[in-house]
Structure formats: structure tokens, C-alpha cells
Amino acid sequence: MFNEISARERQLLEKVRQLSERQQLQVQDFIDRLLETELDRELTNAAMKSSEAAFAEVWDNEDDAIYDNL
């Protein structure tokens, strides 16, 4: 796995190794939050996409057509 790391990954590893254990834990928490945020965004987009068909009849009507251009 670590045999085929990119230059950027090597730089990150070198920097992380210079940090104290406490700082490394903070970096790990930060990375975990970044990954959770991305997963949350993907789940939200998937939920919105799956609900489009259910709401199509409600949203696609002449009275609400003016809002399509907003």
C-alpha cells in the first residue's frame, strides 16, 4: 500500500510524523470530519435525486411554472 504513494502523500506523511501525538489526533479528527461531510453531501444528493420523481406531479404544474426560472 505505502509502496505506491504519491509525492503529495509522502509530504503529508512526513509532516504528520513531525507532529506530537496530540496534534496527530487532531489531524485524524479533522480528516474524519472532512470524510463525514463528503458522505453527508453524497447522501443528501442521493435523497434529493430519489425524491424528484415523487414530487414531479406536485412541482410540475402551470401555477408554479414561474418558479422554474428562479
Side-chain angles (χ1 to χ4, degrees):
M1 177 181 171
F2 288 106
N3 294 337
E4 299 180 20
I5 62 173
S6 69
R8 177 175 291 151
E9 290 170 323
R10 247 188 316 281
Q11 290 172 341
L12 284 170
L13 284 172
E14 290 171 12
K15 290 179 181 183
V16 168
R17 287 181 179 143
Q18 295 174 22
L19 299 174
S20 69
E21 185 177 343
R22 181 175 177 269
Q23 291 171 318
Q24 288 179 2
L25 289 172
Q26 290 175 324
V27 169
Q28 184 176 2
D29 287 344
F30 176 72
I31 291 170
D32 289 343
R33 281 195 307 275
L34 285 175
L35 294 171
E36 286 174 15
T37 301
E38 184 62 26
L39 178 60
D40 288 347
R41 185 176 300 119
E42 289 173 7
L43 290 173
T44 299
N45 287 339
M48 288 188 319
K49 190 73 173 164
S50 68
S51 67
E52 285 179 1
F55 288 106
E57 288 183 35
V58 176
W59 291 336
D60 293 338
N61 63 67
E62 221 174 281
D63 293 335
D64 292 334
I66 192 168
Y67 297 108
D68 293 342
N69 297 322
L70 296 179

